[in-house]
Amino acid sequence: MRADRARSTLSGVLRPRLDAVYEAIERRAPGARVIVLGYPRMFAGTGCGATPGVTSIERSKANRLADRLDRLTASRAKAFGFTYKSAIVRFTGHAICSPDAWLNGLDLGRVSESYHPNRKGQRAGYARLVRAVVG
């Protein structure tokens, strides 16, 4: 399963890449105030037309992957003195297939938008996380 493969690469692949990006930010913008935003859990408990072929086991694994990604990203941001804001709590109740979804499911007409925040997710989710830090 893809979530299993992704989970196995978090520490070995993602951690050094995050460190490299954060080091580059420090070099290019010393003293910058950096806010790192996390990923939400993508799936509600049930599937819908926006999640074709994604089983309940895969949805659960993807959500657990989001939790591990959240912890890893938070720890790396903190190690560099950056502010980290998790999106998990903010997006709870707004996953794909929820009545008030802030995340797009699979959209074959706009594949690049699939599994990304929609406008409401950007406005009510991520923008509010940033405003909580910058005021």
Side-chain angles (χ1 to χ4, degrees):
M1 300 192 138
R2 290 181 187 172
D4 293 330
R5 284 192 305 265
R7 194 170 37 254
S8 70
T9 65
L10 283 179
S11 291
V13 176
L14 182 59
R15 180 184 172 145
R17 289 183 180 178
L18 284 174
D19 288 352
V21 168
Y22 296 165
E23 287 168 0
I25 291 169
E26 284 185 329
R27 266 192 324 276
R28 293 180 183 160
R33 183 176 187 190
V34 179
I35 303 168
V36 178
L37 302 176
Y39 289 88
R41 291 183 187 122
M42 300 295 291
F43 299 102
T46 59
C48 64
T51 60
V54 181
T55 68
S56 62
I57 291 170
E58 290 168 327
R59 289 191 302 271
S60 179
K61 285 183 176 191
N63 286 341
R64 286 196 307 271
L65 177 61
D67 292 341
R68 288 187 67 177
L69 180 60
D70 186 68
R71 288 190 300 273
L72 174 66
T73 309
S75 73
R76 300 322 306 147
K78 182 179 179 181
F80 283 84
F82 299 162
T83 300
Y84 181 75
K85 297 300 285 183
S86 174
I88 289 177
V89 172
R90 183 80 198 132
F91 277 76
T92 296
H94 304 287
I96 297 166
C97 299
S98 69
D100 186 24
W102 293 357
L103 300 163
N104 296 314
L106 178 63
D107 184 340
L108 295 175
R110 299 176 306 145
V111 175
S112 65
E113 298 293 319
S114 296
Y115 304 107
H116 285 85
N118 58 30
R119 287 183 183 189
K120 194 167 186 181
Q122 291 290 350
R123 185 178 59 252
Y126 282 115
R128 284 194 179 175
L129 289 172
V130 171
R131 280 195 300 273
V133 175
V134 298

